[in-house]
Amino acid sequence: MISQILSPVHTSSRDDAVLQALVGFVTDEGLVPGDRLPTERVLAERLKVSRTTVREALTRWQELGLVERRQGSGTYLKAAVTRNMLHMPLTLASGNDFNSLMHTLEIRRGLEAEAAALSAARVSDADIAMIEQKLIRMEEAFHERHGMSADEDWDFHLAVFRTSGNPLFEQIIAAMYEMFHRFWEHPLGVRDFGHASFPYHRTLFNAIAARDPIAARAEALKLIATVEDDLKRGAANLKKQTQKNRVHI
Amino acid sequence: MISQILSPVHTSSRDDAVLQALVGFVTDEGLVPGDRLPTERVLAERLKVSRTTVREALTRWQELGLVERRQGSGTYLKAAVTRNMLHMPLTLASGNDFNSLMHTLEIRRGLEAEAAALSAARVSDADIAMIEQKLIRMEEAFHERHGMSADEDWDFHLAVFRTSGNPLFEQIIAAMYEMFHRFWEHPLGVRDFGHASFPYHRTLFNAIAARDPIAARAEALKLIATVEDDLKRGAANLKKQTQKNRVHI
DNA sequence: TTTCTAAATTGGTTGGACCATTGTGCCAAT
DNA sequence: ATTGGCACAATGGTCCAACCAATTTAGAAA
């Protein structure tokens, strides 16, 4: 079961070395998410370090969501593990207040504009057809439901990111998007949130289809600006309500 | 020194409870980034848990970048800690090839431009003085060593990000920066990497000090452009060397 | 006052023990 | 033969008591 791959660690920062050895083990053994890792006690023995050190290393992986521990059962791989992984822990103060949501939008403004410009510079004809298909589905959903549909909207944006040729955009913006939407059924009480952004989806597509990076960046910025306006409107509403209810405090 | 705020934990998942108690301690005590936390041994005694459990909890905070441990010295707060923090650790697969480094620069281009613009719109007079101090130290290091000094350079950029009013910039760009520097002693064999970016640090500062967001964005873009040029130059060098050495393969 | 050195402090690691939860397989009852 | 329950083994979680290694501090020496 345990091959000879696990060799004693030697260098500094024991638990770093343990993680490095674990990466080697996981990749060489071809483990995939869901598979079980060796026991803590086994790892400790194989790596010639104490169980405490192994536990510290696994705790770090657990915090990064790479691994899940179940008492009495074992430790299970939760995500793909490769060498040269880059860890980027994002911490936001209290995800649902106005400032935090605004912060995610500021990140999106910088990244979506850049992604749109890169996409316009790099799309293939097939990419353009694919993006237009997503756009049409979004527009259909909009007219059926008389409002923005989060899923179709996200599919469209995702298509743009993926044609940017840089996978980092998708992963980072996806995290921002999730933070933003985790708390938005009706974020800050604003109904038909994102309604104003609708027309800019087509203008953005047109700029990309025309392979015009400058125009694409401009349209992406306009789109984000409408979302920011919605958010500010929501914050104003919230403030008004708070003032109205102040007597209860 | 240690007030009565730390009370014994009781409920399930000990280290979760420890972290919760620590949040209370940090907020009640008004600790800010840079401040030192109580000793592990003290925390263990106050919280009525073993030092092992305290260490496991601190390890998790460390992995999230909230805390930094220095052997022989202590554990220091590295970021603002509040109740209701939202953590979203991202792990990205990355390589040390030309494309991966270029990808990090594309992210930095979008974010550094945005951060510079926001900083120019929001800096206080004290912030400006602080940034200028970092700039001067960087320039001194440059002239002493006849080349860019990574640490002082990073300090300057960090100061800009922190005055943007959005902590996410620092968190994301720090990850990009780490990935970029993980492989760059002399990245791709290019000596005096970043040399060309030197003058744009002062022009960027001037734009921020003038509170001119548009100019700040432009200068930040110029700065990144020089780094991209260096990287492309390095890739060309590498290709040439590979061709020259092809006979050995 | 400055500089060097020894001791105290603090995080890092170890080994061993025990607890709590889960999984497994045997055995008995049906 | 099937099912249900139970005892036991395996595994992660916690604790303790040391000792190691890096750092800081305080005091001695110059």
Side-chain angles (χ1 to χ4, degrees), chain B residues 13-15 41 48-53 56 71-73:
Chain B
S13 210
R14 293 273 216 287
D15 60 330
R41 292 171 173 85
K48 298 299 181 202
V49 295
S50 74
R51 195 181 150 215
T52 310
T53 304
E56 177 147 338
Q71 184 173 172
S73 177

Side-chain angles (χ1 to χ4, degrees), chain B residues 73-110:
Chain B
S73 177
T75 304
Y76 299 83
L77 210 57
K78 212 175 143 190
V81 164
T82 65
R83 241 173 278 276
N84 303 330
M85 279 182 301
L86 180 63
H87 304 295
M88 183 160 301
L90 279 186
T91 76
L92 315 174
S94 69
N96 62 347
D97 52 309
F98 171 74
N99 280 333
S100 294
L101 292 182
M102 208 63 197
H103 288 165
T104 67
L105 282 184
E106 286 167 2
I107 300 293
R108 285 180 60 184
R109 182 166 48 186

Side-chain angles (χ1 to χ4, degrees), chain B residues 22-157:
Chain B
L22 258 190
V23 171
F25 176 78
V26 169
T27 56
D28 290 340
E29 212 73 0
L31 298 187
V32 297
D35 287 350
R36 214 185 86 165
L37 268 59
T39 304
E40 294 178 349
R41 292 171 173 85
V42 172
L43 287 175
E45 189 193 0
R46 297 277 172 171
L47 297 170
K48 298 299 181 202
V49 295
S50 74
R51 195 181 150 215
T52 310
T53 304
V54 170
R55 279 187 59 79
E56 177 147 338
L58 287 178
T59 297
R60 293 174 52 191
W61 266 20
Q62 186 181 33
E63 199 64 13
L64 293 177
L66 296 179
V67 114
E68 179 184 352
R69 293 154 130 174
R70 289 206 285 272
Q71 184 173 172
S73 177
T75 304
Y76 299 83
L77 210 57
K78 212 175 143 190
V81 164
T82 65
R83 241 173 278 276
N84 303 330
M85 279 182 301
L86 180 63
H87 304 295
M88 183 160 301
L90 279 186
T91 76
L92 315 174
S94 69
N96 62 347
D97 52 309
F98 171 74
N99 280 333
S100 294
L101 292 182
M102 208 63 197
H103 288 165
T104 67
L105 282 184
E106 286 167 2
I107 300 293
R108 285 180 60 184
R109 182 166 48 186
L111 291 185
E112 299 218 24
E114 194 65 32
L118 287 174
S119 174
R122 294 173 178 172
V123 275
S124 68
D125 291 338
D127 289 336
I128 293 176
M130 187 265 292
I131 297 178
E132 184 168 29
Q133 188 179 351
K134 305 281 186 185
L135 174 65
I136 291 174
R137 286 187 54 186
M138 190 216 75
E139 290 175 336
E140 287 173 352
F142 181 86
H143 289 121
E144 282 176 11
R145 304 163 53 166
H146 300 284
M148 293 299 289
S149 168
D151 287 341
E152 282 80 1
D153 176 56
W154 177 237
D155 274 348
F156 170 76
H157 287 284

Side-chain angles (χ1 to χ4, degrees), chain A residues 36-37 57 65 119 132 137 150 156 162 174 224 226-227 240 242:
Chain A
R36 213 184 89 166
L37 267 59
S119 174
E132 185 168 29
R137 288 187 52 185
F156 170 76
R162 286 182 176 155
I224 292 281
T226 67
V227 182
K240 196 185 299 177
T242 303

